[in-house]
Amino acid sequence: MKSGTRQIVLIGGGYASIWAYRSLVNELLIEMIAGKVRIRIICPDEFHFFHGWTAESLMGIIGDKNRMSPLSEVFKYADIVKGRVVHINTSCRIVQVNLNNGTRSSIPYDQILLGTGSADSNSIEGLSEYAYQLKSQNAYDETKSRIHNLVRQAAKSDSPTAQKLLSFVVAGCGFTGVEVAGNLAEFIHASKKHYSSLCNIHPSIYLINSKEELLPGLDRNFRRIRQYADKTLLQYGIKVLSQLKIVRITDKGAYLSDGSFIESEMIISTIGQTRLVLDGTEKMERDSEKRIVINSFLQVKNHHGIWGAGDSVQVMHSRTMSPCPANALWAIKQGEHAGRNIARAVLNQSLKPFTYKGLGQCASLGIGKGIGELHGIQFTGWLAWVIRWFFFQYFMPSKKVMWREMADWFYLFISGKRKYVSIPENEIRIINKISINLLKPLYEN
């Protein structure tokens, strides 16, 4: 490393860091090649997990590896430090990292991006012991395993036992909760093709909605989307309980705020997010959700050279002056802009404010059952589903992984079956060969 090299550190391997890195490479590649700038990524994981396909992966359509982008590929021109940040010394500009190999390292920085994201909330009594969550990879793995095991057990059981086994509660009425509930109902229905013993079994799925209406993050004017979601959930047989909260969870089910109890074999929580407070950042201004408050240039207030993007920070919308939503798209756009401003700071150029207005929101309640809005225009059904599908393909960090994931979709549409459920190996080989051959010309290009 040459003397005087500018050190840029990105904390986290999520959306914010990935798109900040891309902006930095676009703006500073010449300086990086000349040894004037060095980028380091600090993350304990080896992969970026694309959360857009969570429901489809849970329900056996997309393979887990086909939503996991290797960080070594994503951050091709950066040094990846595999470990967890345990302290940031903002005075000396040093990051202390506990490395995965058990040692500790001190990493200097000139510019640093806080892209630590968020974690599942454990604010309900009994949630961490008895409920299932989705945000971390371990939580996702446990949730997927539980769903598939319950379906297999039900298929081998008598009707009363099967009915009891296929009882679920989904907590949270936002896009994730609605998406999980709809895809879960569709998955169980699709499983009846493989397990004839389930044909007369009707799963019990409750969606607990603490608000008056579904999808509280949507503007109240988007009635068409809400009506479509209500209608689709009703067709699935999902029972939506509005203006109620889960107050306690046990191994038998969930107690609600009205004193009632729902017996359930599995409770899936999508109720919200919590933020990690890194040692050394305690004095940074935070909002009521523990998000670090940053200015319009995406800098942490009163901390020169410290930037933020994604779920861990509060960014004010340039038009509404309300906090920007905490979701993947906003993390991507904030990371992209933060990267540009970091590059401007390195090059001694003037900074530019974050003025992104938003694009829209979308979700899939099952194959062909999409909901979404794009610049205020509402879409439902197949059109919304296809728009979402192409949108997610575009934002997949690794194109190699994207092609493998697309092959999973080809398998589904060609065979009518989900590859990652119990399906004979000979059928998998045949359809794999067909889908790979169809995609090969695109992949090679």
Side-chain angles (χ1 to χ4, degrees):
M1 181 179 68
K2 295 183 180 181
S3 176
T5 299
R6 306 295 291 273
Q7 305 288 333
I8 300 175
V9 172
L10 310 180
I11 300 179
Y15 299 105
S17 291
I18 289 174
W19 266 265
Y21 164 80
R22 290 182 174 183
S23 290
L24 287 166
V25 172
N26 287 338
E27 301 292 334
L28 300 174
L29 184 58
I30 294 175
E31 287 76 9
M32 293 169 65
I33 293 172
K36 296 179 180 180
V37 171
R38 182 184 187 186
I39 301 176
R40 285 178 171 177
I41 314 297
I42 304 175
C43 181
D45 304 314
E46 293 187 20
F47 301 93
H48 165 82
F49 300 96
F50 189 79
H51 292 291
W53 299 126
T54 295
E56 287 84 356
S57 297
L58 278 176
M59 309 309 167
I61 295 173
I62 295 173
D64 292 336
K65 291 184 178 180
N66 296 341
R67 71 183 192 103
M68 297 163 57
S69 298
L71 296 187
S72 58
E73 177 189 332
V74 174
F75 299 113
K76 185 177 179 181
Y77 301 110
D79 298 323
I80 300 176
V81 180
K82 295 181 181 179
R84 295 184 183 276
V85 173
V86 292
H87 179 76
I88 301 177
N89 187 324
T90 58
S91 299
C92 300
R93 298 198 174 195
I94 297 290
V95 181
Q96 298 290 336
V97 183
N98 281 349
L99 301 176
N100 290 357
N101 62 13
T103 62
R104 177 171 285 198
S105 178
S106 297
I107 298 175
Y109 71 86
D110 293 292
Q111 308 287 336
I112 187 170
L113 175 74
L114 306 179
T116 52
S118 61
D120 285 310
S121 172
N122 286 318
S123 58
I124 299 173
E125 181 184 349
L127 193 153
S128 59
E129 294 88 353
Y130 303 112
Y132 292 80
Q133 298 176 307
L134 297 169
K135 204 157 185 69
S136 75
Q137 185 60 23
N138 286 339
Y140 163 86
D141 289 339
E142 291 175 357
T143 300
K144 181 174 183 177
S145 177
R146 180 63 172 168
I147 290 171
H148 287 250
N149 284 338
L150 285 173
V151 171
R152 284 193 291 266
Q153 290 175 33
K156 299 175 183 178
S157 305
D158 56 52
S159 293
T161 303
Q163 190 70 53
K164 181 177 182 297
L165 288 169
L166 297 182
S167 57
F168 302 86
V169 170
V170 178
C173 62
F175 274 87
T176 302
V178 170
E179 196 166 63
V180 168
N183 280 273
L184 176 60
E186 183 186 64
F187 170 64
I188 295 173
H189 177 75
S191 297
K192 295 179 180 181
K193 296 179 182 179
H194 310 300
Y195 304 114
S196 58
S197 59
L198 296 178
C199 286
N200 296 320
I201 303 299
H202 302 287
S204 171
I205 302 176
Y206 287 88
L207 179 61
I208 310 303
N209 176 15
S210 65
K211 310 297 182 181
E212 184 178 352
E213 294 182 307
L214 293 175
L215 307 170
L218 275 178
D219 188 283
R220 296 186 67 88
N221 293 325
F222 294 135
R223 298 193 60 81
R224 177 185 168 193
I225 295 175
R226 284 197 174 90
Q227 289 171 354
Y228 182 88
D230 283 329
K231 179 182 177 181
T232 302
L233 296 178
L234 180 64
Q235 290 173 341
Y236 280 136
I238 296 171
K239 304 172 184 66
V240 180
L241 302 182
S242 297
Q243 296 183 291
L244 291 173
K245 294 182 179 180
I246 296 178
V247 295
R248 185 161 68 93
I249 298 171
T250 71
D251 59 340
K252 302 297 182 183
Y255 287 91
L256 305 184
S257 54
D258 64 351
S260 61
F261 176 77
I262 300 178
E263 186 175 358
S264 175
E265 287 295 311
M266 184 177 186
I267 297 171
I268 304 173
S269 173
T270 68
I271 59 170
Q273 305 169 341
T274 185
R275 275 82 185 179
L276 172 68
V277 180
L278 290 173
D279 189 28
T281 68
E282 300 91 341
K283 294 183 180 180
M284 295 178 182
E285 183 182 351
R286 295 176 183 269
D287 65 8
S288 60
E289 298 180 15
K290 295 185 178 180
R291 295 180 296 188
I292 298 173
V293 177
I294 59 178
N295 63 24
S296 63
F297 302 115
L298 306 187
Q299 295 171 308
V300 177
K301 291 184 176 181
N302 303 316
H303 287 81
H304 180 70
I306 302 180
W307 312 75
D311 295 352
S312 63
V313 299
Q314 183 202 81
V315 184
M316 302 306 290
H317 194 288
S318 62
R319 178 173 56 82
T320 66
M321 297 310 296
S322 298
C324 296
N327 61 40
L329 177 61
W330 285 93
I332 287 169
K333 292 301 180 180
Q334 290 164 16
E336 187 177 56
H337 191 83
R340 291 199 191 100
N341 268 350
I342 292 172
R344 292 186 183 106
V346 170
L347 297 173
N348 294 316
Q349 298 174 353
S350 59
L351 305 180
K352 295 185 178 180
F354 180 70
T355 58
Y356 181 68
K357 300 296 191 298
L359 179 63
Q361 301 176 78
C362 58
S364 167
L365 308 183
I367 306 301
K369 300 179 178 66
I371 54 174
E373 58 92 6
L374 188 63
H375 292 304
I377 302 174
Q378 301 176 71
F379 299 94
T380 58
W382 269 107
L383 180 57
W385 191 92
V386 170
I387 291 172
R388 172 184 179 269
W389 190 87
F390 278 106
F391 180 82
F392 283 1
Q393 304 301 345
Y394 178 79
F395 283 108
M396 284 284 285
S398 167
K399 296 309 173 186
K400 291 181 181 178
V401 175
M402 182 197 75
W403 292 122
R404 297 204 309 264
E405 165 257 312
M406 288 179 65
D408 288 341
W409 285 108
F410 270 79
Y411 178 92
L412 175 74
F413 289 122
I414 292 172
S415 70
K417 299 177 182 179
R418 298 170 186 235
K419 186 189 297 187
Y420 303 97
V421 185
S422 299
I423 299 173
E425 281 295 324
N426 63 322
E427 291 188 22
I428 291 179
R429 285 195 297 270
I430 293 171
I431 302 299
N432 268 350
K433 186 176 181 179
I434 295 172
S435 58
I436 289 173
N437 285 336
L438 286 171
L439 288 170
K440 191 174 180 180
L442 296 173
Y443 181 87
E444 289 178 341
N445 290 331

